[in-house]
Amino acid sequence: MDKFNHLIDMDDYTVSQWNEILELAEKIKHSPEKYADKCRGKIMATLFYEPSTRTQMSFQAAMIRLGGNIIGFDNPSNSSVAKGENLKDTVKIVSTYSDILVMRHMQEGSAKAAALNADCHVINAGDGGHLHPTQTLTDLLTLKLELGRLDNLTVGVCGDLKYGRTVHSLVKALSCYPKNKFVLISTPDLALPSYIKDVITAHGSSFTEVKTIDGAIRNLDMLYMTRIQRERFASEAEYEAQKDVYCLTKAKMQYARRDMIVMHPLPRVNEIEVAVDSDPRAAYFRQANNGMYVRMALILYTMNNVPKIRPLLTGEIHNNVKCTNPKCVTQTELYLPHSFINRGDILVCEYCDERILL
Ligand code: NCD
């Protein structure tokens, strides 16, 4: 049983709770000085096993602006990880030093694995190519502030839909609001994983898949551009074959509606021409700024909400079955129970969502 307010996936909270967090973020953005002492005496640990600029610094700035303190590492080679310490031991100890632990890690399912062994709230700041819920809260706040709604939107998502964790969390979340439609723009090799497509249809939303920006851009309320996730490819040759396929240019923006916005979780590589930055519809720098306010709201919400007592793993333990995803955290953290949701003819890994055919 777990007694903390972990945020591993967006569905750890209900849609009305997401809305409460967004409302709080708006209030904080409006009058940040009112919140300057709300976390006095509290400590947040940031454990970043993978590179980060915005997520890490916006979390740190958020805690400092709330009057709290921060500890952590952004280079695990300077910590006992370099001596071979496993995730469990690092998390077990750091969580006793802190009130809230924010972790980014290269393995899929690592945030859930961390929560299983933590003595404080855990927030997933990105687990490999799997999920990134706090970027999604940032994206939802941006949509709300820029377009005034989270429903009835036609959203284009372009680039690396296979490995882009921000895409996975965003599409799952927007599917929960009524009448949203998705235009998935990618090469066949970087298409959205089928388990995310199933979430779209399960919520009664719809999607189409196209290969170019040109045909799709005219009808969009929002275009979400993403970086091709070089570090997730099996080989450099596979990355080379996909890189620079998409580039949003000033010329392409001429075909977009005047009220469309462009979002991007950043960092940008080549997928948006710098000339687009001066277009008022380019919302990505405003989006990055919203990330700090949403994280202030999330920290407060996490600390102040009465934790719900619930199990982190709800499936069946099959210690004789191995997850087939080579990037799953269970491949290296061997003490983890092999927990799966049984769907009849498939087992779904409870850490990384991999489907294993029986
Ligand atoms: C994203 C991430 O880390 O997944 N960045 C971010 O958190 N803003 C996107 C990316 O790295 O491409």
Side-chain angles (χ1 to χ4, degrees):
M1 284 295 171
D2 210 86
K3 55 181 190 310
F4 297 110
N5 286 321
H6 304 306
L7 178 63
I8 309 302
D9 188 355
M10 287 297 283
D11 63 13
D12 287 318
Y13 287 126
T14 61
V15 175
S16 58
Q17 288 180 304
W18 304 346
N19 293 337
E20 281 174 41
I21 295 169
L22 300 179
E23 272 161 35
L24 181 56
E26 280 187 72
K27 282 191 196 146
I28 297 173
K29 188 170 182 179
H30 188 252
S31 336
E33 67 289 347
K34 286 192 187 154
Y35 298 83
D37 275 322
K38 296 281 184 200
C39 283
R40 187 74 61 211
K42 300 287 184 200
I43 294 179
M44 179 182 76
T46 49
L47 302 188
F48 276 63
Y49 292 77
E50 275 197 326
S52 171
T53 300
R54 274 150 292 272
T55 306
Q56 184 185 203
M57 289 193 200
S58 65
F59 258 116
Q60 294 178 341
M63 190 50 154
I64 292 167
R65 284 178 187 269
L66 291 167
N69 290 298
I70 53 170
I71 58 171
F73 59 71
D74 57 12
N75 182 353
S77 57
N78 289 338
S79 77
S80 286
V81 175
K83 302 179 188 171
E85 184 167 67
N86 66 17
L87 184 64
K88 175 180 179 168
D89 294 0
T90 306
V91 165
K92 183 106 209 117
I93 299 308
V94 175
S95 65
T96 63
Y97 300 157
S98 39
D99 300 286
I100 186 165
L101 190 155
V102 179
M103 189 183 84
R104 168 169 290 188
H105 195 277
M106 50 290 178
Q107 282 176 312
E108 302 186 6
S110 50
K112 185 170 277 187
L116 280 170
N117 292 294
D119 282 321
C120 75
H121 312 290
V122 172
I123 295 190
N124 181 7
D127 59 330
H130 187 217
L131 298 168
H132 194 347
T134 73
Q135 180 64 46
T136 296
L137 287 170
T138 303
D139 300 343
L140 295 182
L141 179 64
T142 305
L143 278 168
K144 207 172 160 212
L145 294 175
E146 300 272 332
L147 298 179
R149 66 184 196 280
L150 295 172
D151 55 5
N152 206 8
L153 294 168
T154 302
V155 172
V157 195
C158 177
D160 191 342
L161 313 190
K162 181 178 181 188
Y163 298 120
R165 55 193 173 196
T166 62
V167 171
H168 303 163
S169 288
L170 178 64
V171 169
K172 281 173 81 175
L174 281 177
S175 301
C176 297
Y177 291 91
K179 295 194 185 155
N180 286 331
K181 291 196 223 92
F182 301 94
V183 183
L184 306 175
I185 310 161
S186 79
T187 62
D189 286 334
L190 296 183
L192 193 70
S194 47
Y195 83 92
I196 310 274
K197 288 181 188 163
D198 290 350
V199 174
I200 301 179
T201 34
H203 284 98
S205 303
S206 62
F207 66 88
T208 50
E209 290 183 285
V210 300
K211 292 200 186 79
T212 63
I213 298 178
D214 307 41
I217 198 166
R218 295 168 201 269
N219 299 318
L220 301 178
D221 295 302
M222 187 270 274
L223 174 59
Y224 196 86
M225 294 298 296
T226 63
R227 173 179 72 89
I228 307 298
Q229 307 278 299
R230 181 180 199 156
E231 66 276 28
R232 312 260 179 246
F233 284 78
S235 68
E236 192 60 17
E238 284 174 60
Y239 167 69
E240 290 289 327
Q242 300 291 330
K243 77 167 198 196
D244 300 338
V245 172
Y246 296 106
C247 183
L248 180 64
T249 57
K250 234 178 140 173
K252 288 189 176 113
M253 285 296 283
Q254 286 180 354
Y255 299 106
R257 293 211 319 252
R258 294 173 77 90
D259 59 352
M260 185 197 79
I261 57 164
V262 182
M263 290 172 53
H264 190 310
L266 304 178
R268 154 182 52 191
V269 184
N270 291 322
E271 57 281 349
I272 303 179
E273 193 179 66
V274 173
V276 177
D277 297 358
S278 55
D279 188 313
R281 296 170 291 181
Y284 30 91
F285 297 127
R286 299 191 289 274
Q287 179 186 358
N289 178 249
N290 289 335
M292 183 178 72
Y293 297 107
V294 107
R295 288 175 175 116
M296 287 173 80
L298 179 63
I299 292 168
L300 281 180
Y301 200 83
T302 305
M303 299 280 202
N304 296 338
N305 226 31
V306 179
K308 39 186 193 312
I309 309 290
R310 41 132 210 194
L312 270 163
L313 298 176
T314 55
E316 299 170 355
I317 307 294
H318 291 269
N319 280 331
N320 55 334
V321 181
K322 207 169 179 234
C323 179
T324 49
N325 174 6
K327 295 175 177 169
C328 179
V329 68
T330 56
Q331 305 294 350
T332 54
E333 305 292 322
L334 300 177
Y335 51 84
L336 289 168
H338 292 189
S339 186
F340 299 92
I341 306 290
N342 193 334
R343 297 248 170 90
D345 53 346
I346 54 165
L347 289 179
V348 180
C349 174
E350 269 210 273
Y351 300 90
C352 72
D353 288 303
E354 177 85 348
R355 294 160 166 202
I356 298 151
L357 275 173
L358 290 175

